[in-house]
Amino acid sequence: MLPKYSLIIPIYNESETIPELYRRVAAVMNRLDGAAELVLVDDGSRDRSLDLIRKLHQQDERICYLSFARNFGHQTAVTAGLNFVRGKVVVILDADLQDPPELIPDMIQQWRQGYQVVYAQRTQRRRESWFKRFMAYSFYRILRGLADVNIPTDTGDFCLMDRQVVDVLNAMPERNRYIRGLRAWVGFKQTAVKFERDPRFAGEVKYTFRKSLRLAINSIISFSRVPLQLATYLGLFAAGLALLMVLLVLYWRLSGPGSPLIGFTAIAVAVLFLGAVQLVCIGILGEYIGRIYEEVKGRPLYILREAAGFTQPTDCFPTHQKS
Ligand code: UDP
Ligand code: MG
C-alpha cells in the first residue's frame, strides 16, 4: 500500500541530531491520519549519519533512505527525495530541527482546505548572527526585485506539496534546482504558515558562507535575466559620460586659453572604469554560459550508492545498487 504522507529530510553530517530528529518526527508521524513514510537522503555524509540511518531503517519500516556517492548539495538531496517519494502529500524539512516537525499538522490542515503548496514562512530567526540575518533579509528582497517569479520572502525549503506539484517538479529537466524558486514558479494554489525558526539543535551549520553565496547567485541567475541587461545599461551610462566629456572639452577649447586640460589622472580613471565595467559584464556572461554548459553536459544530477525501503524499482540511475 502506498503511503499517504511522505517526509523528505536531507542529511549531511547530522549524526548528533538524528536520534532527536527521529524522536520528534516519529511522534508527529504517529499522529497523522494516514500511513506515512520518511525518506532520509544522505548527501554523502562523512560521519556516522549513514550507519544511524541504516539502523533506523531496520527498526522502523516507515523509514526508507537514499545515499549519495558524494556530497551533491542540499538542493540536489531534496530533488532526489522528490524523485523517490510515493505519498499523496509530500513534506520537506531540514534535519537540524530548525524546521519544527510539529508544524506539519497545521500544514496538512491547509492542504485539506485545498492548497497544493503550503510553505512555512519564518517570522523570526532566533539566535542567528546579525550578519546571517542581514544577508538573508537583503537577499530575499533583491531576489524579489530581480526575479521573474514572485518568490515569497523569508521562506526556506520547509513546505508541503501535493502530489500534482511534485510530479510537475520531477518532470522539469533543469539541473540547477533552486527548490523554493521552482516551487513558486509552478504556480498552483499556495499559502503560507508562519513559524518562528529555532536555532540548530546540534552540530555545525552545513551551509558555509561559500555554499550560501553560490546558492544566492544560482537562484538569481536561474530566475532572472536582469543581470544580462546590466551590460547594456552600464554601456549606455559610459557612453553618456563620454559625450559629456566631449562637450566639456569643446567648451573649454572654445572659451579661450587657460582652460583646464585633461591630465593623466583623468585618463587613468576612465581606462580603469571601462576595464572594470567590461570585466564585470564578461563575468556575468560567464555565469550564464557556465550554466548552459552544465545543462548541455547532461550528467546525472546525483549518483546513488545505496537505497533501501522503496518497493518500486529505483533504477533510474545506472550506478545505483538496490538493496
Ligand atoms: N545539507 C545537505 N547537503 C549539504 C549541506 C546541507 O544535505 O551540502 C542539509 C543539512 O543536513 C540540513 C539542511 O541541508 O538538513 C540545511 O542545512 P543547514 O542547517 O546547515 O543550513 P541552514 O540552516 O543555514 O539553511
Ligand atoms: Mg539549519
Side-chain angles (χ1 to χ4, degrees), residues 167-236:
D167 286 343
V168 171
L169 287 183
N170 284 339
M172 289 170 123
E174 68 189 90
R175 316 170 41 69
N176 204 338
R177 320 266 330 169
Y178 182 58
I179 306 280
R180 290 153 237 191
L182 296 176
R183 188 180 71 205
W185 184 86
V186 296
F188 293 102
K189 252 186 106 185
Q190 308 213 351
T191 188
V193 170
K194 306 257 185 221
F195 79 111
E196 280 184 22
R197 195 156 209 236
D198 292 325
R200 185 172 242 289
F201 174 74
E204 304 258 293
V205 179
K206 304 303 176 306
Y207 260 94
T208 52
F209 180 71
R210 246 185 76 208
K211 273 190 183 170
S212 302
L213 193 68
R214 231 16 292 142
L215 185 70
I217 295 177
N218 270 339
S219 60
I220 291 177
I221 302 229
S222 305
F223 286 96
S224 172
R225 270 176 311 220
V226 176
L228 278 177
Q229 293 156 356
L230 193 72
T232 320
Y233 297 131
L234 282 174
L236 286 175

Side-chain angles (χ1 to χ4, degrees), residues 57-119:
H57 166 68
Q58 276 155 15
Q59 261 174 42
D60 186 337
E61 58 176 14
R62 296 172 298 179
I63 296 186
C64 346
Y65 68 88
L66 300 167
S67 178
F68 285 176
R70 65 166 168 87
N71 179 240
F72 280 89
H74 178 201
Q75 301 292 307
T76 311
V78 173
T79 303
L82 288 173
N83 293 160
F84 282 88
V85 288
R86 296 158 293 180
K88 245 195 257 166
V89 177
V90 178
V91 178
I92 300 169
L93 64 157
D94 278 359
D96 58 358
L97 292 166
Q98 283 198 289
D99 303 335
E102 292 76 18
L103 199 69
I104 295 173
D106 294 350
M107 297 167 119
I108 293 175
Q109 194 56 39
Q110 295 293 320
W111 174 74
R112 287 216 188 85
Q113 311 278 317
Y115 290 100
Q116 285 147 302
V117 175
V118 185
Y119 51 85

Side-chain angles (χ1 to χ4, degrees), residues 1-6 35-37 86-89:
M1 200 189 71
L2 290 184
K4 180 172 180 192
Y5 299 103
S6 297
E37 66 175 355
R86 296 158 293 180
K88 245 195 257 166
V89 177

Side-chain angles (χ1 to χ4, degrees), residues 9-30:
I9 306 184
I11 290 178
Y12 180 51
N13 298 343
E14 300 282 8
S15 55
E16 289 132 304
T17 68
I18 287 175
E20 176 68 6
L21 174 73
Y22 174 65
R23 198 185 62 71
R24 278 177 63 183
V25 172
V28 172
M29 283 166 78
N30 294 339

